[in-house]
Amino acid sequence: MGFYRALLHLFPRSFRAEYGGEMEAVFARDWKAAHGVAIAALVAATIVDVVSNAVQVHLDILIQDVNYAARSLRRTPGFTVTAILVSALGIGATTATFSIADHVMLRPLPFPEPDRLVKLWEDHSSRGYPRMEPAPPQFLDWKRMATVFELLETYTGGSASLVGSGEPEQINGAAVSGGVFRMLGRPAALGRVLAESDEKAADGERPIVISDRLWRTRFAASPEVLGQTISLDDRAYVIVGVMPADFYFPSRNRDFWRLLRFSAPGSDTDRGNQMLDVLGRLKPGVSIEDARAEMNVIGAQLSRAYPKELEGKGVTLAPWREQVTGQPRLLLLGLVGASICVLLIACTNLANLLMSRALARRPEFAIRAAVGASVDRLVRQMLTDSFLLAACGGILGVVMAMVAAPVLVRLVPTSLPIAEVPAVDLRMLAGTLALTIATGMAFGLLPALRVCRKADGSALKDGARGGINRGTERLRSGLVVAEIVAAVVLIVTVGLLTQALLRVQGVSPGFQSSNVLTMRSTLPRPKYQKAVTREQFYRRVLEEVKALPGIDSAAYISFLPMVFRGGVWPVLTTVPDPASPQRFAPPDLKNERRASLRYVTPDFFRTIGTPMLRGRDVSAADRSNSTPVAVVSDSFARQYFPDRDPIGQQFAFAFKVRTIVGVVGDIRVRGLERDNSEPQVYLSADQFTDGEPLFYAPQDLAMRTSVPAESLIPAVRAIIRAADPQLPITNIRTLDAIVSAETEPRSIQLRVLGAFAIAAVLLAAIGIHGLLAFSVTARSREIGVRIALGARARDIMWMVIGRSTLLAMIGVSLGAGLAYAAGRSMQALLFGVDPGDMRVFSAAVILSLVMALGGSLLPAWRAIKVDPITATRAD
Amino acid sequence: MAMTDPRPESLLPLQPAVFHILMAVADEDRHGYAIIQEVLSRTSGEVRLSPGTLYRSIQRMLDDDLIVEVHERPAPELDDERRRYYRITRFGKAVAREEANRLSELVRLARASGFVIKKA
């Protein structure tokens, strides 16, 4: 019988209390009647009977409780909607931001053993560039000398014009060394990947691997694509493989991978041609510290072997995942911090709401207990209430997370080889859901247990007499203060970042970006290998474009500002040095100077509104057979010719001696936030002779317009089409859009943080309102007595508002300290704004007081409306 | 707990255990063990209600107002204080009738389809 009694514990206590005795009696009879084998059968059948029916009874009670909870919650729609929204906000915000942050910063890269993949750079820290791409001879030396890598490979990004089978299209891709795919460990979805053996193939054979996207859009996903030829930059490539849809390398939006070919060993000695990305796979058992140690030794050896090019330069490496550094990482971490604030506020608010509700239902539970409901049944009921609220909040939170994800996704950097849109992270969702449910259960359960244990009618009297339990009040007040603290942190953070954004937006880029339309047409080789073909193209297009009504001026440049931030070359003396790859001697080994190189057609500076400070622009008179000229930026002139007129001065740059004919204002080539843009050197496009790197051939067309820029796009496209029907036209946008893109991540972060801050303020106001409203109700008798004894309305109001002000001041004091610490931690994002900016903190204090006032108005109004006669009526 | 919806059809189809219990208490009040014995007897030993199934069903039937617990006790020498007696309600009778009609209709349809029904 002990066995059966123990089994009966599977049933709910109330059921056991009701029917346990009879069930034992029935079992006792069967037990008495059973003999031999029948006993085993009886035991087995009893176990099955009890287990299956106990589950059913629990389910029945749960369904009953859920129905009751639903009816009860429907009767208090204000509370229900508030509680669900509060839970949803906390769950949704946290899940969305954690999913993004996990996708970008924590989740392993989608390659086998990604922890062993490291990226290598030249370390030019002494010149302010800790990570510089190495030149081909440097990479080849690293590969020859290093022993810590299983594979050391290289790649370089690029784009090419794809013609044939559809509109000409400029597509992005990469040139990779033969071992890259083996290192990445991802096979092709169709055909094969490039291999080391392809490097040894004859130059005429050009294998290429394409992306899934390109396969579907240009080849209709045909399985016959293998062996087909495509034309990129007028060169034929044979498709040998198609990669899977989830393969991204080295970043998103890459559609082809072709072989990177090097010159014969020893023939390329230019260690200043910094162009390669290098990736290595560590040998098993080799740590990154071991690799660093070896590469430091190799770096030092190469420095000694090539002092002119490599003195003071080392090698640095880092796990490939850690490419995301600096601003993007801080932006994401800021969002994660903000979402944690919102989650904490949401949980404290939920806790307060549930505690209020539990206390308000004391009389109801007392009545139910008096008519026979057991304590565990009542507690179970309360828990079901809380669980239902949290579950509804959770479902709504998932929807909010899914809706928010596409907005936040624009914060996912393009530089990582990961998909753009992460799925809603189920672990994060489960975690935040569990936290919310735990909060709901804890703060719904504790008061329920207290209330239900007093099921002796005293709860009824409590309800009539009024009065507040001091401990509960202090806890609830503490929770409200915590909400205010979190709200203050968010308000200050938003304030500081807003100041930073305004500062960045106020930075002059060095040109007038309004009313300038731009587009790109990259001139492919071999068709445009010869300078004369390029000159004919520019001349024809510019002549026709300038003739269009609404175009004030137009010009070509190699790369628009802020679109390409590299293209930096050394500035050399005019002393020839045949041993130097650049053909001229550098001024000072220890103090290498560099400037950004761009080729322009005449009128470029007028077109984009960069002031000509001295001298003249490049002109049609600057031909290939005349003296090579240069227009330099003001910083260049001040740096190299501080005491003299730079006009007429000479320097060696990009293989030639150049004579300065003009000085223009500086442009922020590297972006609005970077103040380390190199000085700029602009060379005449007509002096871009054969043999110079075609990479710099002007391709970006800029046009200043006097009519809405978008209206001119079709006409300009038609002109370029007519000049060369096979030329893709891409990146059509205004210069304003390019500048705005600089601040887009900040703007997005600010919008999201702003939404979080608004939510936090609202939630904190609700929290204050809830606390004070309950307090007024509980103290209505006391208030009635005060009024009866002569207290004025303003005294009663001050009683309420004074309390909320006190809570706000405590919250603000604590919050200000935390907010300052938060500001210091994200100082790199603040663009010079002081983390203790008084205007921001003052605004936060005022807003918090307004929030406290807003939350206390209604309870204060109700307090002064208390009727002393009703309130003091005897129980 | 009284049913908010008094229509007997709303409870159909009845679970077999519930129907058997209704039939067992249709003509007299019985306690739990007696219901088990009555059902066993009526079905010639085919249906034996386990205690778990019986009391779970009784709880539901009380909630649905199909039966009520009666407080009139038999003579002390025949009584066991642990026993609780149950009586069918008018609503319970109506539901049982509806269930019987439903089952009869099913049998008629089965016969019409050519399925041979064993005589009880």
Side-chain angles (χ1 to χ4, degrees), chain A residues 138 142 145 292-307 310-315:
Chain A
Q138 195 75 344
W142 290 353
M145 297 163 74
R292 278 198 185 107
E294 183 179 84
M295 293 312 293
N296 282 338
V297 169
I298 291 173
Q301 286 172 350
L302 290 171
S303 250
R304 284 193 295 273
Y306 304 98
L310 300 179
E311 178 157 351
K313 296 174 186 169
V315 185

Side-chain angles (χ1 to χ4, degrees), chain A residues 764-831:
Chain A
I766 289 170
I768 292 171
H769 170 269
L771 178 74
L772 293 174
F774 183 78
S775 173
V776 164
T777 304
R779 296 170 72 182
S780 58
R781 199 159 181 278
E782 176 199 338
I783 294 170
V785 167
R786 283 176 186 252
I787 293 174
L789 291 176
R792 289 167 293 188
R794 67 166 182 258
D795 299 325
I796 303 299
M797 277 199 92
W798 180 246
M799 201 173 93
V800 177
I801 293 174
R803 181 146 179 248
S804 79
T805 307
L806 176 65
L807 292 174
M809 291 313 297
I810 296 172
V812 163
S813 308
L814 295 170
L818 271 178
Y820 182 73
R824 289 288 302 266
S825 70
M826 60 174 189
Q827 198 147 13
L829 277 182
L830 294 182
F831 199 60

